[in-house]
């Protein structure tokens, strides 16, 4: 349909395309005033108008609605899907299982094919097992292939089985950086039609590409599967928050400092579920790499999108990273024709506005457990002392603590979820108060340690055990990466060395980084300090930090030391980085090097030396910190456009080990019943032909009572697999030695492992089990304290449904579909919480789990719930799909009645729930459309 006569030709150079002109709506609706991001959504509606999923009324509503947000649903269809391998493997497993289910029911299995391009980048499987040596990347890569051979063969099958799936092999880079530097086109030309390059990604940091002017955001794997198979993404028209920038960064401040400042501001303001769009004269002073750094952190402050419109800087970056000239010309012509070109003097009709003077940004960290808790570097020592007081409250205070307590008043204690952040659906947070200092330090408890190389040293609270230059947030930014290299160079020249207890690593997001490092002559200095290349991929930031040296790990655990990691990443949730490391700080790459030299967080980098130089004189951070001019000079002389063309010229071919992998053939996957990596999932077993209305819940038991800020890191299996855990025992029973367990992330294609690891995070606290740390619960009515999986098995054998009780911000953090998949496979029918994170709420619905929200003012505590009650939920039975939206349900807990709201927000979510989940809905739709 073309109700508004918007389809029209455009000529760019010697080529002609058709576009859907936004100007066709100008006279009636004045669309020039719409924010950039809403114009992209409006074009999407014009292009996909079909009278059913997109009607003329939908288009008029968005065109006239401005940026205030709207409670009416629209259908968004992205141009493509981006996946990383941790989330991509289970998505391809689900598609393979769906093909089998279609064939078994007389349908066409080959017809289950992604209808839009899908790029899967293998970037999450490398681990920092080997570090600090010249061949670290070679040895880590060998271990990666050895551990993941089955998974990689499966992905190679997927690449040949699905025509629209492309796989970027291991050791290429991080998906978001590959997306920014190569995959994204800003404007796409397909079948003679030109339109905006849009996407959804199965990683919450997908908005990194917003820095390039590309609208895209993170979704769960199951939602991405639906989009791949032609289902529109249902969404409410989002409010758009305008963020005006003025001025420019001062000397000494980095892009990381800027993004931590923005994170703090937006988190405090409250932008959950909203779009954020930058405008104003300061945008011209923010290089595209810095824009991408800001976009990358979107999930840390909760916005769906954090975008910079297209301007001259966009074109510069496209040219510099090797995009073809015709692509750049099309982007410029299309953006100007459609009113998408940034005019710094114009303020669109935003729903709210904020402003930041870039000159006020100062060097910062964030931690010790939440990305939004910015710590000015000048206060880092005192703030650390305060944080240590909460981490180790049993230590007696000393005089220093009293001074800290006066400077930093006490705040509320962290929630039972561990104090991690995410994207809560609730009112804006107040400005975070620094943590209390009571009992913060000492007496010192240094522990004597002898390293494997014979060196002896003392390990203490606050010592930096991990210093990692890693993650897509910063390794895409040459300015901060070169700054790190220059700090290393100056440090080595002054005779400094990293402390022997620090595990150092360098894991860039693309091969281009090492090209300009080598051209600049910085590699020898980084190597000298132990920052040897360990791999190209996402490592420490997702928990793939590898084990600490045995002697360090033993000292930490035997003596209860609170050691620290400092990483240039975007996530520092409790228990995420390394199981031995209690406190984690985000920092710019040059500060990561500085803290590796200092070896401790208990230092004032402004006033105390990093160490003693070869001349016997103290060396301060100011002595080795490069100026902005120095950094720019090195970037200008060492980074060339040809590096990007060379790095991505044959990006899909991979190294010899990848090409040599035997590749299964055929449209349907031949499942191996003995595999411990890839197994056929049970989602379609005994699936009826027609959906059944969801029944009421009767006689349910509570599996866990959780507090606030429970993240998907707490819920979803992640990190190392303990030999004595249910998952570890299953692997041993199937012939896998503990040394070969690999990580939970690498085994996401095996539901047997993943279900056993759900709610098994060692830092999760279940009040039903007395608040003990770890994935245990109390089975009722027996009272036995057992692993959560074991309790779920016992409840399932007795036919008892399960529920979860929780506080605010349930499911915040990464968009992990296994947090929902594991929940449903454990037998959980509903989660009752005070508020939900956007993606996880959607994923729960996508797996048929009811997200039930307490009424305002109600909570587990206010209702006096202990978790020992038998729970009944009434009001579902017989309800039509449309009646499920926002439906109030009656809950009875052992005679204590209260109401909850079913957080079904859109008709499509209601339809998914009626079918038992997205996968079941898509399969039934396919069978109706394409019988064999």
């Amino acid at each position: 349909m073309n109700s508004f006569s918007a389809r029209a030709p455009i000529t760019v150079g010697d080529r002609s395309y058709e576009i859907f002109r936004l100007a066709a709506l100008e006279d009636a609706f004045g669309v020039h005033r719409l924010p950039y991001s809403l114009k992209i959504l409006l074009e999407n509606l014009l292009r996909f108008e079909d009278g059913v999923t997109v009607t003329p009324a939908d288009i008029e509503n968005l065109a006239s609605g401005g940026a205030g947000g709207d409670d009416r649903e629209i259908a968004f269809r992205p141009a493509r899907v981006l996946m990383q391998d941790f989330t991509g493997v289970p998505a391809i497993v689900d598609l393979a299982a769906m093909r089998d289910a279609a064939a078994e029911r007389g349908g066409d299995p080959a017809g289950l094919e992604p209808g839009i391009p899908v790029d899967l980048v293998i970037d999450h499987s490398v681990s920092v097992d080997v570090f600090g040596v010249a061949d670290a990347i070679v040895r880590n890569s060998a271990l990666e292939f050895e551990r993941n051979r089955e998974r990689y063969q499966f992905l190679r099958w997927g690449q040949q089985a699905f025509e629209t799936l492309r796989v970027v092999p291991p050791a290429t880079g991080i998906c978001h950086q590959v997306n920014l530097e190569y995959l994204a086109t800003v404007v796409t030309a397909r079948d003679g039609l030109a339109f905006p390059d849009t996407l959804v990604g199965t990683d919450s940091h997908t908005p990194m590409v917003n820095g390039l002017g590309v609208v895209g955001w993170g979704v769960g794997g199951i939602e991405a599967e639906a989009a791949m198979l032609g289902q529109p993404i249902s969404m409410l028209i989002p409010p758009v928050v305008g963020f005006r920038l003025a001025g420019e960064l001062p000397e000494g401040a980095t892009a990381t400092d800027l993004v931590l400042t923005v994170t703090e501001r937006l988190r405090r303001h409250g932008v959950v579920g909203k779009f954020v769009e930058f405008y104003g004269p300061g945008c011209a002073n923010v290089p595209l790499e810095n824009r991408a750094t800001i976009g990358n952190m979107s999930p840390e402050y909760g916005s769906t999108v954090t975008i910079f419109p297209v301007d001259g800087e966009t074109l510069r970056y496209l040219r510099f990273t090797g995009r073809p000239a015709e692509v750049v010309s099309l982007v410029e012509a299309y953006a100007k024709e459609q009113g998408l070109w940034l005019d710094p003097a114009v303020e669109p009709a935003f729903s709210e506005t904020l402003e930041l003077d870039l000159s006020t940004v100062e060097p910062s960290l964030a931690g010790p457990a939440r990305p939004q808790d910015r710590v000015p570097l000048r206060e880092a020592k005192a703030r650390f002392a305060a944080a240590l007081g909460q981490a180790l409250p049993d230590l007696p205070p000393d005089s220093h603590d009293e001074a800290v307590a006066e400077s930093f008043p006490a705040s509320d204690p962290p929630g039972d979820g561990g104090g991690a952040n995410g994207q809560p659906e609730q009112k804006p947070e107040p400005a975070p108060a620094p943590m209390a200092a009571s009992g913060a330090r000492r007496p010192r408890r240094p522990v004597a340690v002898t390293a494997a190389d014979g060196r002896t040293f003392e390990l203490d609270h606050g010592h930096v055990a991990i210093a990692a230059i890693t993650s897509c947030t910063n390794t895409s930014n040459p300015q901060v990466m070169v700054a790190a290299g220059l700090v290393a160079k100056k440090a080595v020249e002054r005779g400094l060395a990293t402390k022997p207890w620090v595990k150092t690593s360098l894991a860039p997001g693309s091969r281009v980084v090492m090209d300009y490092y080598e051209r600049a002559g910085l590699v020898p200095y980084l190597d000298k300090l132990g920052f040897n290349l360990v791999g190209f991929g996402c490592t420490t930031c997702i928990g793939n930090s590898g084990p600490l040296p045995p002697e360090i790990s033993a000292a930490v655990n035997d003596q209860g030391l609170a050691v620290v990691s400092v990483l240039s990443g975007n996530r520092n949730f409790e228990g995420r980085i390394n199981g031995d490391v209690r406190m984690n700080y985000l920092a710019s790459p040059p500060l990561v090097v500085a803290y590796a030299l200092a070896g401790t967080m208990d230092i004032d980098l402004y006033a105390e030396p990093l160490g003693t130089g070869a001349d016997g004189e103290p060396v301060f951070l100011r002595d080795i910190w490069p100026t902005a001019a120095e950094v720019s000079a090195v970037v200008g002389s060492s980074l060339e456009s040809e590096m990007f063309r060379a790095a991505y010229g044959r990006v899909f071919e991979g190294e010899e080990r990848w090409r040599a992998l035997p590749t299964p053939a055929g449209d349907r996957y031949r499942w191996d019943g003995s595999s411990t990596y890839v197994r056929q999932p049970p989602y379609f077993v005994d699936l009826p032909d027609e959906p059944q209305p969801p029944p009421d819940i009767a006689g349910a038991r509570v599996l866990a009572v959780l507090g606030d800020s429970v993240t998907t890191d707490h819920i979803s299996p992640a990190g190392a697999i303990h030999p004595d855990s249910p998952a570890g025992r299953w692997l041993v029973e199937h012939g896998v030695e503990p040394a070969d367990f690999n990580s939970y992330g690498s085994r996401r294609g095996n539901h047997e492992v993943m279900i056993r690891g759900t709610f098994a995070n060692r830092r999760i606290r279940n009040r039903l089990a007395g608040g003990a740390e770890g994935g245990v619960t109390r089975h009722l009515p027996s009272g036995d304290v057992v692993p959560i999986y074991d309790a779920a098995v016992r409840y399932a054998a007795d036919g008892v449904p399960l529920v979860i009780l929780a506080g605010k911000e349930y499911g915040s953090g990464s968009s992990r579909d296994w947090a929902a998949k594991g929940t449903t496979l454990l037998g959980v029918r509903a989660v009752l919480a005070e508020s939900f994170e956007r993606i996880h709420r959607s994923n729960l619905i996508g797996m048929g789990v009811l997200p039930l929200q307490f009424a305002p003012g109600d909570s587990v505590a206010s209702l006096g719930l202990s978790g020992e009650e038998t729970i009944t939920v009434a009001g579902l039975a017989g309800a039509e799909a449309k009646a499920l939206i926002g439906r109030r349900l009656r809950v009875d807990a052992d005679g204590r009645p209260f109401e909850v709201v079913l957080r079904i927000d859109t008709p499509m979510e209601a339809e998914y729930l009626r079918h038992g989940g997205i996968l079941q809905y898509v399969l039934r739709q396919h069978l109706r459309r394409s019988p064999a």
Side-chain angles (χ1 to χ4, degrees):
M1 296 175 63
N2 185 21
S3 298
F4 299 91
S5 301
R7 189 160 186 157
I10 182 176
T11 300
V12 182
D14 59 355
R15 299 189 181 187
S16 181
Y17 307 91
E18 285 200 315
I19 65 172
F20 281 82
R21 296 175 61 250
L22 297 177
L25 302 169
E26 178 60 35
D27 290 344
F29 303 104
V31 296
H32 71 278
R33 77 193 192 289
L34 287 178
Y36 172 92
S37 49
L38 292 190
K39 289 178 181 177
I40 299 293
L41 295 185
L42 181 59
E43 187 280 341
N44 196 269
L45 294 183
L46 284 171
R47 185 158 35 93
F48 286 105
E49 182 194 0
D50 59 5
V52 180
T53 61
V54 180
T55 66
D58 294 329
I59 295 170
E60 292 175 1
N61 180 46
L62 178 55
S64 61
D70 198 293
D71 60 1
R72 282 173 284 187
E73 178 187 20
I74 61 171
F76 172 71
R77 288 177 171 84
R80 57 190 176 95
V81 171
L82 176 69
M83 298 191 290
Q84 37 92 337
D85 55 313
F86 272 15
T87 52
V89 166
I92 305 304
V93 165
D94 291 347
L95 291 178
M98 202 179 296
R99 279 189 169 183
D100 287 347
E104 292 165 2
R105 288 161 174 78
D108 173 23
L112 279 163
E113 169 77 32
I116 56 177
V118 179
D119 289 302
L120 189 154
V121 181
I122 300 176
D123 64 347
H124 275 49
S125 297
V126 61
S127 180
V128 188
D129 291 277
V130 182
F131 70 98
V133 294
D135 63 345
I137 185 173
V138 175
R139 293 161 64 183
N140 287 328
S141 182
L143 287 169
E144 176 189 353
F145 268 86
E146 180 182 331
R147 292 166 175 162
N148 296 285
R149 182 180 178 86
E150 282 186 55
R151 297 171 67 243
Y152 291 174
Q153 286 182 280
F154 174 71
L155 289 176
R156 283 180 63 81
W157 167 80
Q159 191 173 25
Q160 65 82 37
F162 299 102
E163 293 182 4
T164 50
L165 172 66
R166 299 188 299 184
V167 177
V168 176
T172 302
I174 298 174
C175 65
H176 309 302
Q177 191 163 344
V178 174
N179 191 27
L180 184 75
E181 294 178 352
Y182 178 71
L183 297 174
T185 58
V186 185
V187 176
T188 295
R190 195 179 297 162
D191 299 326
L193 192 66
F195 52 91
D197 173 24
T198 58
L199 75 151
V200 291
T202 58
D203 190 295
S204 52
H205 295 99
T206 298
M208 180 173 180
V209 79
N210 296 165
L212 197 59
V214 174
V215 170
W217 59 86
V219 297
I222 47 185
E223 191 174 2
E225 291 169 40
M228 283 188 266
L229 294 171
Q231 298 303 310
I233 293 176
S234 298
M235 60 185 295
L236 303 179
I237 299 173
V240 182
V241 178
F243 202 138
R244 186 178 187 274
L245 297 180
E248 56 185 311
L249 288 179
E251 184 69 44
T254 68
T256 312
D257 305 320
L258 170 59
V259 75
L260 293 179
T261 301
V262 169
T263 298
E264 180 187 47
R265 285 284 307 278
L266 290 176
R267 188 71 183 177
R268 186 182 303 171
H269 179 77
V271 293
V272 173
K274 302 175 183 179
F275 284 9
V276 174
E277 188 169 312
F278 287 90
Y279 72 104
C283 289
N285 299 323
V286 182
L288 197 132
E289 295 86 347
N290 292 15
R291 300 177 183 185
T293 303
I294 293 171
N296 183 280
M297 291 286 276
S298 293
E300 275 58 73
Y301 40 82
S303 67
T304 305
V305 161
T306 308
I307 201 159
F308 284 79
V310 173
D311 63 1
E313 175 63 11
T314 311
L315 303 184
R316 178 203 66 81
Y317 186 81
L318 290 173
R319 292 189 187 98
F320 190 69
T321 50
R323 267 63 167 217
E326 59 269 23
V327 170
V328 181
S329 297
L330 177 59
V331 170
E332 181 175 12
Y334 186 91
K336 290 179 176 178
E337 170 66 26
Q338 294 281 59
L340 299 172
W341 190 264
L342 175 65
D343 183 347
V346 173
E347 179 174 325
F350 296 117
S351 57
E352 323 162 50
T353 58
L354 295 170
E355 184 167 358
L356 175 66
D357 184 342
L358 298 173
S359 67
T360 64
V361 174
E362 62 178 317
S364 302
L365 307 168
R370 305 195 306 176
Q372 77 265 32
D373 290 341
R374 186 179 67 88
V375 178
L377 185 60
R378 54 187 164 77
E379 299 175 5
K381 180 177 181 177
R383 293 283 190 101
F384 165 72
L388 185 62
Q390 285 201 335
L392 302 170
D394 56 322
L395 291 184
D398 63 16
S399 58
H400 176 81
D401 301 327
E402 296 172 5
V404 173
E406 292 176 3
S407 300
F408 301 102
S411 67
D412 293 333
D416 283 12
N421 79 304
Q423 303 167 4
E425 295 181 340
Q426 62 173 41
K427 63 185 180 182
E429 295 185 40
M435 289 183 283
S438 175
R441 304 203 328 162
R442 314 306 180 241
R444 284 176 55 85
R445 54 183 306 169
V447 178
V449 177
T450 301
D453 60 5
R455 289 183 294 175
T456 60
F457 49 83
E458 290 185 336
L459 195 66
D460 200 357
H461 296 307
H463 276 190
V464 176
I466 293 176
I469 301 175
T470 180
S471 165
C472 45
T473 312
N474 287 292
T475 63
S476 61
N477 194 314
Q479 296 285 327
V480 292
M481 294 298 285
V482 165
L486 290 174
V487 167
K489 180 176 185 291
K490 292 170 181 280
V492 170
E493 290 173 343
R494 293 294 297 269
L496 297 183
T498 53
K499 296 299 186 286
W501 54 81
V502 183
K503 180 172 184 176
T504 47
S505 60
L506 169 64
S510 87
R511 290 181 171 272
V512 175
V513 175
M514 295 310 296
D515 290 340
Y516 63 71
Y517 264 170
E518 290 173 1
R519 176 74 63 87
L522 297 174
V523 173
Y525 301 103
L526 289 161
D527 288 352
K528 182 75 173 177
L529 295 184
F531 286 96
N532 303 79
L533 177 66
V534 297
F536 293 99
C538 193
T539 55
T540 304
C541 195
I542 58 161
N544 284 3
S545 59
L548 296 182
E551 63 276 9
I552 302 291
S553 180
V556 167
N557 288 288
D558 292 347
Q559 302 300 321
L561 296 179
V563 293
V564 173
S565 74
V566 183
L567 63 148
S568 63
N570 45 38
R571 291 281 164 87
N572 58 337
F573 301 147
E574 185 180 38
R576 179 184 180 96
I577 304 303
N578 185 286
D580 293 336
V581 179
R582 186 174 289 271
M583 306 170 77
N584 306 286
Y585 288 86
L586 306 181
S588 65
L591 279 180
V592 171
V593 177
Y595 275 104
L597 296 169
T600 180
M601 280 299 300
D602 191 19
I603 183 174
D604 181 348
L605 293 181
Y606 283 89
E608 299 177 60
L610 296 168
T612 302
D615 57 2
E617 295 296 319
V619 180
F620 294 84
L621 180 61
R622 60 180 175 269
D623 298 328
I624 62 173
W625 193 267
T627 65
E630 288 179 279
V631 172
S632 295
V634 173
V635 171
S637 63
S638 59
L639 184 57
E640 293 182 350
S641 182
E642 184 54 38
M643 292 178 177
F644 294 95
R645 293 187 179 90
Y648 292 110
R650 298 194 294 181
V651 66
F652 298 106
E653 293 185 11
E655 58 180 78
E656 176 58 31
R657 273 178 299 202
W658 172 259
R659 296 194 299 270
L661 282 174
T663 304
D667 292 335
R668 294 175 62 187
Y669 187 68
R670 294 188 295 274
W671 305 98
D672 180 357
S674 65
S675 174
T676 59
Y677 276 98
V678 178
R679 295 175 76 90
Q680 186 174 16
Y683 308 125
F684 308 108
V685 175
D686 298 326
L687 180 70
D689 292 339
E690 296 298 326
Q692 307 297 316
D696 289 342
I697 302 173
R701 284 291 188 177
V702 177
L703 188 61
V705 181
L706 307 172
D708 296 340
S709 299
V710 173
T711 73
T712 52
D713 279 26
H714 291 105
I715 306 167
S716 178
I721 303 172
H722 195 281
D724 196 35
S725 66
R729 291 195 295 271
W730 187 91
L731 287 170
V732 170
E733 290 167 3
H734 286 75
V736 181
E737 296 295 327
D740 299 321
F741 277 3
N742 211 335
S743 65
Y744 278 113
S746 67
R747 294 188 182 273
R748 285 189 181 184
N750 181 351
H751 63 279
E752 297 286 4
V753 169
M754 298 302 284
I755 186 177
R756 287 166 170 79
T758 304
F759 293 107
N761 185 295
R762 64 187 293 180
R763 298 300 182 200
I764 197 170
R765 299 175 183 89
N766 182 3
R767 294 175 183 173
L768 188 56
E773 281 192 336
V776 296
T777 193
R778 189 150 50 92
H779 175 267
L780 297 169
S782 71
D784 297 339
V785 176
V786 295
I788 281 180
Y789 171 77
D790 293 347
V793 170
R794 291 171 65 174
Y795 284 126
D798 295 334
V800 177
L802 301 172
V803 298
I804 299 287
L805 302 181
K808 301 180 182 69
E809 306 181 14
Y810 184 79
S812 56
S814 301
S815 55
R816 295 190 171 183
D817 54 343
W818 262 108
K821 287 182 175 180
T823 297
T824 194
L825 291 178
L826 284 172
V828 175
R829 286 284 314 280
V831 176
L832 286 74
E834 292 179 62
S835 63
F836 292 89
E837 182 272 337
R838 174 182 62 86
I839 297 176
H840 186 60
R841 182 188 62 81
S842 173
N843 281 350
L844 287 174
I845 296 166
M847 293 308 299
V849 179
L850 303 173
L852 305 180
Q853 190 159 310
F854 290 116
D858 282 355
S859 67
V860 171
S862 71
L863 294 169
L865 301 178
S866 66
E868 298 180 2
E869 300 85 359
T870 299
I871 305 292
T872 296
V873 180
L876 284 167
E880 297 182 4
K882 63 182 180 181
L884 296 175
I885 301 173
R887 189 177 184 86
R888 291 187 176 278
L889 302 176
R890 300 180 304 279
V891 179
D892 182 272
D894 284 352
R896 187 181 294 108
F898 56 92
E899 278 196 344
V900 294
V901 175
L902 175 57
R903 283 300 313 279
I904 301 294
D905 293 352
T906 68
M908 188 57 71
E909 288 179 348
E911 197 66 19
Y912 291 156
L913 186 67
R914 188 174 72 89
H915 279 261
I918 288 182
L919 301 180
Q920 293 84 349
Y921 172 83
V922 170
L923 175 62
R924 289 185 177 117
Q925 294 297 106
H926 171 72
L927 291 173
R928 290 190 181 97
R929 289 194 308 265
S930 55

